[in-house]
Amino acid sequence: MPLQMMRTCFHLRSTTGLTLLAWPLRSTSPIASTKLHKPLARKMSSSPSIPPPTGSEKTHFPQDASLPGEHFEVRQTHPTGDYTPDSSKSLPLSPARQALLDDIIALYEMKPTVARVKRYTPDCVYNDQFVYANDRYKMAGQWFALPKLFRSAESRGYQVVTNDRDLIQFRHEEAWTFRVIPKTAVINALVSLSLDPATIDSDFIRVKYHKDQANDKDYSNEGLGATFKKWQADNVAKYMDSPEVKAFEADRDAGKEPRRTYGRGDKEGDAPVKSL
């Protein structure tokens, strides 16, 4: 994490009184005036490499929906860490899958609602550079706290790169404008949504594990950094005097397991190289 960004985060913590750290910020470049357009509906190509909009038959995770989110983590290392989206190459999604993606994008754009947070199972996991939230109550705290830190958040484009039966992955470009200082950061990340086996074929698909990966390496899920990620996620919801967050208080008792640890974040840490 760059020193300048660390200073920014700690400055914001001291001025807001929250322990919230938001999604990873890799660039402080100003927002460009030209937006990347989100992908439009496209006809299916005859190429066998493009899965159907409902997803390929490939599976990655257990089919037992009673297992907690920790069982649904996908791991990968990227050759370069460049996740700039190309919307023209985005894989087509079925209406139900597109609706899920639209709700996730809306959450990134600081438009949380109870219905959108219900896109996660009660025992879900969210994992990024600064957050490890292992139930939906903590996840709600993160989404509803974002406006405390940022003045605006704009999704500038995405590219679906994986559409398998139980996994959707997309490259995502997001512009974050800070509330306390007049700075905008643009980040590109790979977002992985591990789908709930019980709702894959429904009109309201839910997420078991949400990973936001902005670097080439995956997370080792151990060490001081991992401890801090979990500590801040455990505590942010406590500071949220919000009826929307309180709506998920019962999810604090959702099934959990200790976070999986890997020693390192590359292929030696069970994170194989994938171009994605």
Side-chain angles (χ1 to χ4, degrees):
M1 181 177 181
L3 178 59
Q4 180 182 359
M5 191 55 61
M6 290 177 63
R7 288 171 176 168
T8 300
C9 292
F10 282 110
H11 173 72
L12 290 170
R13 177 178 178 228
S14 64
T15 56
T16 63
L18 290 177
T19 53
L20 171 69
L21 286 177
W23 276 249
L25 306 174
R26 297 181 58 198
S27 169
T28 55
S29 302
I31 298 179
S33 59
T34 304
K35 292 183 180 181
L36 296 175
H37 295 290
K38 295 181 181 180
L40 302 175
R42 298 181 292 132
K43 293 183 178 180
M44 278 295 298
S45 166
S46 59
S47 170
S49 63
I50 298 181
T54 53
S56 74
E57 292 303 312
K58 184 177 181 180
T59 59
H60 302 260
F61 312 112
Q63 299 305 300
D64 184 356
S66 69
L67 294 173
E70 288 82 2
H71 288 263
F72 296 83
E73 180 183 5
V74 65
R75 293 184 60 76
Q76 62 267 311
T77 303
H78 192 271
T80 66
D82 181 5
Y83 299 119
T84 304
D86 182 347
S87 298
S88 68
K89 296 180 180 179
S90 187
L91 298 176
L93 299 175
S94 67
R97 289 176 176 239
Q98 186 64 53
L100 167 64
L101 186 56
D102 290 346
D103 278 342
I104 297 299
I105 293 294
L107 288 170
Y108 273 103
E109 292 191 316
M110 299 197 309
K111 301 171 184 176
T113 65
V114 169
R116 284 173 175 153
V117 175
K118 285 183 177 179
R119 282 293 187 177
Y120 298 92
T121 61
D123 57 3
C124 69
V125 172
Y126 178 90
N127 192 5
D128 71 12
Q129 282 187 323
F130 300 130
V131 176
Y132 186 92
N134 61 345
D135 63 49
R136 193 166 57 182
Y137 172 67
K138 299 171 188 176
M139 191 70 264
Q142 295 293 315
W143 288 125
F144 282 99
L146 281 178
K148 303 283 187 181
L149 185 62
F150 296 101
R151 179 169 299 151
S152 66
E154 179 187 16
S155 176
R156 298 177 60 187
Y158 64 81
Q159 175 190 352
V160 177
V161 295
T162 301
N163 185 23
D164 293 336
R165 175 159 176 77
D166 57 2
L167 176 66
I168 296 174
Q169 293 177 294
F170 60 97
R171 296 182 176 197
H172 184 218
E173 182 164 296
E174 181 90 2
W176 302 91
T177 300
F178 291 99
R179 178 169 294 281
V180 178
I181 56 176
K183 293 287 186 179
T184 296
V186 178
I187 58 172
N188 294 300
L190 177 69
V191 179
S192 300
L193 305 177
S194 304
L195 307 182
D196 168 33
T199 58
I200 284 177
D201 297 315
S202 74
D203 292 332
F204 193 82
I205 302 171
R206 299 198 299 177
V207 175
K208 277 283 193 177
Y209 201 114
H210 180 155
K211 178 177 286 187
D212 187 302
Q213 182 177 339
N215 295 314
D216 56 336
K217 293 183 179 180
D218 210 322
Y219 307 116
S220 68
N221 291 343
E222 60 183 75
L224 184 60
T227 299
F228 177 75
K229 284 167 52 169
K230 187 175 185 305
W231 175 84
Q232 79 95 350
D234 288 349
N235 285 276
V236 165
K238 299 177 184 178
Y239 291 92
M240 298 298 297
D241 185 17
S242 162
E244 291 85 1
V245 175
K246 292 183 184 300
F248 297 98
E249 281 185 326
D251 295 337
R252 290 183 294 185
D253 299 323
K256 299 178 181 67
E257 291 184 4
R259 64 180 181 269
R260 309 290 174 87
T261 58
Y262 301 93
R264 49 195 296 169
D266 56 15
K267 62 183 180 180
E268 302 300 325
D270 196 23
V273 177
K274 303 175 187 177
S275 60
L276 296 173

